[in-house]
Amino acid sequence: MAWYTTAIFYELPLRAFADGNGDGHGDFIGLRDKLDYLKWLGVDCIWLLPVYPSPLNDDGYDIASFYGIHENFGLLEDFKMTVDAIHDKGLRIIADLVVNHTSDEHPWFKEARRSKDSAWRDYYVWNDNDEPYSDARIIFLDTEESNWAYDEQSDSYYWHRFYSSQPDLNYDNPKVQDEMINIMKFWLDLGIDGFRVDAVPYLFEREGTICENLPETHDYLARMRKFVDDNYPGRVLLGEANQWPEDVIEYFGTPEAPEFHMNFHFPVMPRLYMALAQGDRSSIIDIMNRTPDMPVENAQWATFLRNHDELTLEMVTEEERQFMWEFYSPDPEQRMNLGIRRRLAPLMDNDRDKIELMHSMLFTLPGTTVLYYGDEIGMGDNIKLFDRNGVRTPMQWDDSKNAGFSDADPDTLFAPVINDTIFGYQQVNVEAAQADESSLLYAVRHMIATRKEHLVLATASIDWIEDLPDHALCFWRREGETVYLSLNNLSEDDLTIPLPEGQLFTDILSGQNDFTESVTLGRYGYRWLQLQ
Ligand code: NOJ
């Protein structure tokens, strides 16, 4: 079985994780220092957010050079040392590969805008007016009015799907296609275990389409995959295609032309929150039933509760979005684009039972689990910070100055630490959580360990149990003779679930064996059983 199909991933922004040189920004020295913590937690693979030179208008997703490291983080040499240190610990690392666009400060763009005759002109998508491709939606709705931006220097318009400071690359240009393969080669040669590939649906533009999921895009992604398989077997490509199940499934490709080894399952994520809020499992079952079977072998879904972006509500209906907004972001400031810029623990009102239940669903549904740094200790967010920065604050290591994140003068930190009465670092930090075996951190760590003892939970088939009250999310997971039962109570009321008669079950979280006829779950309770 391919390693990534059962792994636990841990997403971290280097800037926010640990500052090793005291300049107020997290860096590679800091990360190396914290590898023992990640090992202790039980994660298998780090997903490192962009670390490349960048003006940071989109926190590094606006790349000014594909072949370097941002000066705040260290040198390329540091990156290499970190990859080696990660491997020495038996961990893996994937990095972000931003294929769709560059920063407007990238030399290609600076050259391209210099004149219409520039040799780099065709690296980007230009037009004399802003009319083409009008069916393409705007993604950064709060800030952008158009996917075209006017460039004074060359008196024309360029195409961009994200911020106007992020011009889209022109994939109709074979040189661009080759450049991206060379970039992949560069980082794979440094030993990383793969990429999380950013914003993949938007590589090509075609008139009369929404400019997403086009066949040309799939062809190019299959070329990327072939390059990896031919030259770097065992490395992984994880695609970020925020699409409906029937569209995202296409990003696995076909047996003849595979694309990504893994894709995020975006649609199921908001439905975990919705099911909890409504005390009704049906949205989860509906979306999972709507998810086509895996078209290729050795492929896997990546599932998650939160990440570094807003909790996206793109893959829900208008009505569901309104519900989610009203329920989870009562303060309009908490909303952003089509989403909610809050962290897991605040979304759950810091209700420990709910936070654990969300993890229980995450770990027992099919897929590889991707955790977001800080959620394991129940970190909060800071709505006052710009854009999505409120969910990217310094990791809270202990209750000392700057939450143990940095020795710097607090005024020089890249962002203030969370300091409120509930989520402040004085209460919520790794050291305190590690000192208390009844902490959320221990509960999450125990779920990780249990899930890793029962790898089948990542891959087994799923069968829903539907003759139960709406608030019971219960399902079988089966692979051959190995059978599990995940029981989750989406409500405040006790829930009694009858079990098949005369069967011996082991509660794999507590280790207890039981012949009981039924299980009663308390408020937002959960149990993971294995049939003996
Ligand atoms: C998706 C990334 O997750 C997000 O943070 C970024 O702003 C956009 N892609 C553009 O790169």
Side-chain angles (χ1 to χ4, degrees):
M1 201 158 16
W3 67 270
Y4 50 82
T5 58
T6 56
I8 308 283
F9 282 65
Y10 186 93
E11 174 192 2
L12 65 90
L14 192 62
R15 178 178 309 283
F17 203 56
D19 174 14
N21 70 354
D23 68 353
H25 298 255
D27 49 36
F28 286 114
I29 309 172
L31 172 56
R32 289 200 294 272
D33 206 40
K34 298 299 183 187
L35 293 178
D36 284 333
Y37 167 70
L38 296 178
K39 191 81 192 163
W40 174 85
L41 183 59
V43 308
D44 301 302
C45 183
I46 295 167
W47 158 22
L48 186 70
L49 269 64
V51 291
Y52 316 102
S54 162
L56 303 180
N57 289 331
D58 186 9
D59 213 6
Y61 282 96
D62 47 331
I63 295 180
S65 164
F66 286 104
Y67 294 102
I69 296 289
H70 193 283
E71 58 184 9
N72 288 151
F73 297 142
L75 303 169
L76 199 56
E77 204 46 47
D78 267 308
F79 181 87
K80 281 193 228 164
M81 277 170 66
T82 307
V83 172
D84 291 345
I86 286 168
H87 288 157
D88 287 348
K89 294 262 182 242
L91 301 171
R92 288 186 162 93
I93 176 172
I94 63 168
D96 250 287
L97 180 72
V98 184
V99 287
N100 180 67
H101 45 266
T102 69
S103 160
D104 58 2
E105 293 190 17
H106 194 288
W108 294 341
F109 190 70
K110 289 190 189 167
E111 286 297 329
R113 77 193 324 182
R114 210 199 290 276
S115 114
K116 289 184 177 156
D117 304 320
S118 157
W120 278 271
R121 187 72 176 174
D122 275 352
Y123 271 46
Y124 296 89
V125 182
W126 298 95
N127 200 54
D128 290 340
N129 58 49
D130 60 0
E131 282 155 27
Y133 316 136
S134 58
D135 294 334
R137 68 187 167 122
I138 294 167
I139 298 168
F140 283 172
L141 275 171
D142 290 359
T143 35
E144 301 299 329
E145 280 171 7
S146 165
N147 287 322
W148 290 104
Y150 179 64
D151 175 46
E152 246 172 64
Q153 216 177 323
S154 62
D155 183 28
S156 46
Y157 292 83
Y158 62 87
W159 181 249
H160 63 91
R161 293 308 300 266
F162 296 93
Y163 287 126
S164 57
S165 57
Q166 290 164 296
D168 271 36
L169 286 163
N170 174 20
Y171 275 84
D172 276 316
N173 180 352
K175 283 193 202 147
V176 167
Q177 298 195 11
D178 293 347
E179 294 275 12
M180 204 44 72
I181 301 285
N182 290 337
I183 293 163
M184 294 173 74
K185 177 174 188 321
F186 178 81
W187 294 100
L188 290 168
D189 284 343
L190 292 178
I192 63 169
D193 299 284
F195 295 106
R196 176 267 191 188
V197 190
D198 185 65
V200 295
Y202 321 108
L203 301 189
F204 285 81
E205 299 75 35
R206 290 292 178 263
E207 200 53 76
T209 75
I210 59 166
C211 299
E212 297 183 24
N213 313 325
L214 295 176
E216 294 84 348
T217 294
H218 284 289
D219 289 346
Y220 181 69
L221 296 173
R223 175 176 166 199
M224 276 178 42
R225 167 66 180 264
K226 187 167 177 348
F227 174 73
V228 171
D229 283 355
D230 288 353
N231 300 285
Y232 305 91
R235 317 277 181 106
V236 70
L237 292 175
L238 162 57
E240 189 218 12
N242 188 354
Q243 300 287 333
W244 290 99
E246 49 280 14
D247 293 319
V248 76
I249 199 81
E250 304 279 333
Y251 287 89
F252 288 104
T254 60
E256 299 71 40
E259 297 177 28
F260 290 102
H261 305 84
M262 296 167 74
N263 284 289
F264 288 107
H265 201 309
F266 275 96
V268 75
M269 182 275 296
R271 288 172 177 79
L272 298 174
Y273 291 87
M274 199 153 65
L276 182 68
Q278 298 178 334
D280 181 351
R281 64 173 175 261
S282 55
S283 58
I284 297 176
I285 299 185
D286 291 348
I287 206 74
M288 294 300 289
N289 284 345
R290 186 177 156 180
T291 303
D293 289 340
M294 202 56 91
V296 290
E297 282 186 3
N298 284 323
Q300 179 61 299
W301 293 107
T303 52
F304 61 104
L305 298 174
R306 286 296 291 112
N307 64 21
H308 63 290
D309 288 325
E310 70 274 28
L311 190 170
T312 165
L313 300 175
E314 280 158 284
M315 293 304 128
V316 297
T317 64
E318 184 54 43
E319 200 184 325
E320 291 168 331
R321 187 175 307 132
Q322 287 309 326
F323 171 82
M324 286 288 288
W325 264 333
E326 277 158 37
F327 193 90
Y328 284 113
S329 52
D331 175 354
E333 251 207 293
Q334 296 166 329
R335 302 177 192 177
M336 191 187 159
N337 299 323
L338 288 186
I340 303 172
R341 48 190 202 119
R342 303 183 73 192
R343 261 195 187 263
L344 177 66
L347 284 164
M348 297 291 113
D349 289 326
N350 206 25
D351 183 323
R352 169 71 182 270
D353 294 340
K354 291 188 186 175
I355 299 173
E356 280 195 35
L357 177 65
M358 290 293 278
H359 281 98
S360 165
M361 295 191 282
L362 179 73
F363 282 118
T364 57
L365 284 171
T368 286
T369 318
V370 185
L371 304 172
Y372 185 50
Y373 91 104
D375 281 348
E376 74 275 21
I377 54 169
M379 254 171 71
D381 49 46
N382 180 354
I383 200 67
K384 295 294 162 219
L385 298 181
F386 175 67
D387 201 327
R388 292 147 288 175
N389 295 348
V391 301
R392 304 172 183 177
T393 60
M395 179 70 174
Q396 296 169 198
W397 293 105
D398 58 41
D399 64 1
S400 69
K401 184 180 90 168
N402 298 329
F405 160 76
S406 169
D407 290 338
D409 178 340
D411 292 339
T412 66
L413 294 194
F414 80 95
V417 296
I418 303 281
N419 201 3
D420 60 49
T421 46
I422 300 172
F423 298 105
Y425 66 94
Q426 298 86 345
Q427 301 79 248
V428 177
N429 65 64
V430 171
E431 191 180 76
Q434 281 187 316
D436 172 8
E437 289 200 18
S438 68
S439 64
L440 172 66
L441 177 62
Y442 267 94
V444 172
R445 178 173 179 253
H446 184 55
M447 285 194 232
I448 294 174
T450 308
R451 154 86 184 232
K452 286 171 72 171
E453 274 170 35
H454 301 272
L455 292 179
V456 164
L457 281 172
T459 50
S461 68
I462 190 161
D463 288 305
W464 310 102
I465 304 179
E466 304 211 57
D467 53 349
L468 289 172
D470 293 345
H471 57 278
L473 178 74
C474 300
F475 47 91
W476 296 99
R477 303 290 315 280
R478 292 197 178 89
E479 195 161 290
E481 299 285 283
T482 315
V483 180
Y484 298 97
L485 188 53
S486 173
L487 309 175
N488 303 277
N489 177 10
L490 300 165
S491 100
E492 244 166 353
D493 304 325
D494 284 0
L495 168 68
T496 299
I497 302 152
L499 295 181
E501 242 172 82
Q503 307 261 34
L504 179 65
F505 284 97
T506 303
D507 180 324
I508 57 173
L509 286 166
S510 73
Q512 272 165 8
N513 289 323
D514 237 328
F515 264 116
T516 59
E517 287 160 17
S518 68
V519 169
T520 298
L521 302 175
R523 86 183 278 280
Y524 303 114
Y526 60 92
R527 297 274 291 272
W528 304 356
L529 305 180
Q530 182 177 12
L531 187 64
Q532 295 304 322

